[in-house]
Every structure is written in structure tokens, then in C-alpha cells.
Amino acid sequence: MKKQSTMIVSIILLIIFVIFALLNTAQVEVNLLFGKIKMPLVLLILVCMLIGALIIYLFSFSNHLKVSKELKELQNQPGKPEVDKLKKNVKQLQAENQRLKKSLDAKEIAVQGTQPSQPTVKD
């Protein structure tokens, strides 16, 4: 189904381009650095569109290469500093958790005057 819709859209765009080309057959003079060239207007528009598409492709390709290089560097990076930092944070939080539990137990003992109750397991 997708191929059929792509084919239909392609045919419609081709028909529009042919109509555009037939309406713009006038000869125009283009001034370049080294001289003047006469060509049909539709050909000039087509060449300009192709040059623009090529420039956009080159920019996107260079960006793709840069992103690929960064990805490879991150995958090959030994130690992975972010993971190490997160592991250190987890250890600190676990130590703080233990300290707070001991502090809470000490306060319960002071308030109740007894040992903290152990949770019972129901079968």
C-alpha cells in the first residue's frame, strides 16, 4: 500500500513539473563570473534546485559524520564517568539512608524506652 501511494504522489509531482516546464520555456540570460549563458528558465530553476539540494545533503552528511564520531567515542570510552558518578551517588544515598534509620531507631528507643520493634512476617 505504501509503495502505491508513493508511486501516485511521484506521478502527480512529475505531472506538475512537466506543466511547470511547459509554462516556463522562455530563454533567459544568466550572468556568471566568466561570461553569460542563455538557457531555458525551467532548466535554470532545476539547476538551482539541484545545487541547493546538494548543499543541504552535504551539510546533513557532515552533521551525520560528526554525530557518528561522537557516538563511537562514547561507546569506546573506558570507565564511563557518568556511570561512575551515579554509582558514587548511590553509595552516598545508601549510607545516608542507613544513618537516618539508626537515628530514627535511637529516637524510638528514647521515646518508648524499649528496643525498636521488629517487623513480623505473616505466613
Side-chain angles (χ1 to χ4, degrees), residues 17 35 38 79-80 100 102 109:
F17 179 75
K38 281 192 172 188
K80 297 188 173 64
L100 290 172
K102 288 179 183 177
I109 292 171

Coordinates of all heavy atoms in Angstrom, one line a residue, residues 17 35 38 79-80 100 102 109:
F17 N 5.5 19.1 -12.5 CA 6.8 19.6 -13.0 C 6.8 19.7 -14.5 O 7.3 20.7 -15.1 CB 8.0 18.6 -12.6 CG 9.3 19.1 -13.2 CD1 9.9 20.1 -12.6 CD2 9.8 18.4 -14.2 CE1 11.2 20.6 -13.1 CE2 11.1 18.9 -14.8 CZ 11.7 19.9 -14.2
G35 N 31.3 34.8 -17.8 CA 30.6 35.1 -19.1 C 29.1 35.0 -18.9 O 28.6 34.9 -17.8
K38 N 22.9 31.6 -22.1 CA 21.4 31.6 -22.4 C 20.9 30.2 -22.2 O 21.5 29.3 -22.7 CB 21.1 32.1 -23.8 CG 21.2 33.6 -23.9 CD 20.6 34.0 -25.2 CE 20.5 35.5 -25.3 NZ 19.7 36.0 -26.4
G79 N 35.6 3.4 31.4 CA 35.3 3.9 32.7 C 33.9 4.6 32.8 O 33.3 4.7 33.8
K80 N 33.5 5.2 31.7 CA 32.2 5.9 31.6 C 32.0 6.7 32.8 O 31.4 6.3 33.8 CB 31.1 4.9 31.3 CG 31.3 4.2 30.0 CD 30.1 3.3 29.7 CE 30.1 2.7 28.4 NZ 31.0 1.8 28.0
L100 N 20.2 7.6 58.7 CA 18.9 8.1 59.1 C 18.0 7.0 59.8 O 17.3 7.3 60.8 CB 18.1 8.6 57.9 CG 18.6 9.9 57.3 CD1 17.9 10.2 56.0 CD2 18.5 11.0 58.3
K102 N 19.3 4.5 61.7 CA 19.9 4.4 63.0 C 19.4 5.6 63.9 O 19.1 5.4 65.1 CB 21.4 4.4 62.9 CG 22.0 3.1 62.4 CD 23.5 3.2 62.3 CE 24.0 1.9 61.7 NZ 25.5 1.9 61.6
I109 N 13.8 4.5 70.6 CA 14.2 4.0 71.9 C 14.1 5.0 73.0 O 13.6 4.7 74.1 CB 15.7 3.4 71.8 CG1 15.8 2.2 70.9 CG2 16.3 3.1 73.2 CD1 17.2 1.8 70.6

